[in-house]
Amino acid sequence: SLASTSVGAYAGSEIMGGLLHVRVPLWARRLVTLIPALIVLWVYPNPSWALVISQVALSFGIPFAIIPLTWYTASKDVMGDYRDGTAMKIAMAAVSALIVALNFALIYLTFTGVDMPA
């Protein structure tokens, strides 16, 4: 959980600094990324369950990455002549919908305690 927090903090600082041109003090970045990890470890002291919960929490961000990626690669304004063709747009929409649906299923099954068959 702490390892994924440090990777997330580094990735977030690179994106905010390089892509968004936003400067956030180091202490604020560390605080925002470390507090949720510590809360998970406090609420779920079992390390295995804490790892599961942290990965489920990280999966919340998947739709916020895949949907804009699908949108931008299909945009003529963004990609110009290199935008996705119709077949790729359909495939990306289907894959995006599947990933988002599986993500919601993961969240539901994790928090309702439903076990998946082996």
Side-chain angles (χ1 to χ4, degrees):
S1 181
L2 291 177
S4 63
T5 298
S6 64
V7 170
Y10 182 69
S13 68
E14 287 298 314
I15 290 170
M16 290 183 73
L19 183 63
L20 301 177
H21 305 292
V22 174
R23 286 302 207 220
V24 176
L26 179 63
W27 66 268
R29 287 194 311 256
R30 296 295 184 252
L31 190 64
V32 166
T33 56
L34 188 58
I35 295 297
L38 292 176
I39 290 171
V40 167
L41 289 173
W42 180 61
V43 173
Y44 301 103
N46 177 342
S48 296
W49 187 243
L51 179 62
V52 168
I53 294 300
S54 70
Q55 296 307 302
V56 170
L58 287 172
S59 76
F60 286 138
I62 292 172
F64 296 104
I66 193 140
I67 293 170
L69 178 66
T70 302
W71 184 272
Y72 289 141
T73 59
S75 170
K76 183 174 182 160
D77 292 338
V78 175
M79 299 298 292
D81 292 337
Y82 299 104
R83 71 183 182 275
D84 291 339
T86 303
M88 182 60 77
K89 288 178 190 177
I90 293 169
M92 284 298 295
V95 168
S96 297
L98 178 63
I99 289 173
V100 170
L102 289 172
N103 187 48
F104 281 121
L106 169 69
I107 293 166
Y108 174 78
L109 293 173
T110 300
F111 290 110
T112 60
V114 177
D115 290 330
M116 295 294 292

